Amino acid sequence: MADNAARRLLIYSSLFISGALFVFFMMAPPLGFPLTYEQAIRVLEIVLPVFLGYIGSASAFLFSTEKVVGIVHEERRQFLAPLLIGPVAIFLIVVVTILVSFGLSNRSSAPAGEGMSVDLLAGAISAALGFLAVSTNLIVGRLFAK
């Protein structure tokens, strides 16, 4: 994967994930998903900073006046795509699984007191986000270095 293709992937995936999570958490309470607006905003506050950081790095890179050089030696470029796409894909799958699990375990017909708590929801999403950050921060830093 070429450096610019990796940059594009990070920009588009960060924009998509940020937008999708924002829409989901803002629409969850009125659609009957078992979260209050306060809880939805709390979870959103956990998730958004990482993706907004990626977008901010890309913006700083865009307006940088320095000449860009390749970040990965040509022989190693084959490893860039899986190290970039994999963590984003895993994050999306895990977050969707967490949200579906939370919704199902807290639906009106679920056994009382056995559903996932908002604290567990927030913790699980934080863990998924931690995985994403650990696996992609170095790549993001190098791709969008000034």
Side-chain angles (χ1 to χ4, degrees):
M1 172 179 278
D3 295 349
N4 281 335
R7 289 180 183 108
R8 247 188 323 279
L9 176 68
L10 272 171
I11 291 167
Y12 286 122
S13 65
S14 294
L15 290 169
F16 173 78
I17 292 169
S18 296
L21 289 173
F22 200 96
V23 168
F24 173 80
F25 283 111
M26 291 298 92
M27 293 302 299
L31 292 176
F33 196 78
L35 283 175
T36 65
Y37 275 114
E38 182 179 315
Q39 294 166 332
I41 294 297
R42 179 174 169 235
V43 176
L44 194 57
E45 288 172 341
I46 293 169
V47 179
L48 277 183
V50 170
F51 296 104
L52 296 179
Y54 292 169
I55 294 166
S57 294
S59 298
F61 172 79
L62 178 65
F63 293 102
S64 172
T65 57
E66 296 177 22
K67 186 176 187 314
V68 178
V69 295
I71 63 157
V72 179
H73 190 278
E74 192 65 40
E75 293 174 359
R76 297 181 192 153
R77 287 211 177 169
Q78 63 183 318
F79 304 113
L80 183 57
L83 284 172
L84 193 57
I85 296 168
V88 172
I90 290 169
F91 173 80
L92 288 172
I93 292 166
V94 168
V95 167
V96 167
T97 301
I98 292 165
L99 293 173
V100 169
S101 177
F102 180 83
L104 290 174
S105 70
N106 287 289
R107 69 189 184 283
S108 58
S109 62
E114 293 186 21
M116 182 188 295
S117 70
V118 174
D119 286 337
L120 284 175
L121 170 68
I125 289 178
S126 291
L129 202 54
F131 164 76
L132 180 68
V134 164
S135 58
T136 58
N137 272 351
L138 178 62
I139 295 171
V140 170
R142 292 296 204 114
L143 281 172
F144 296 116
K146 292 184 183 180

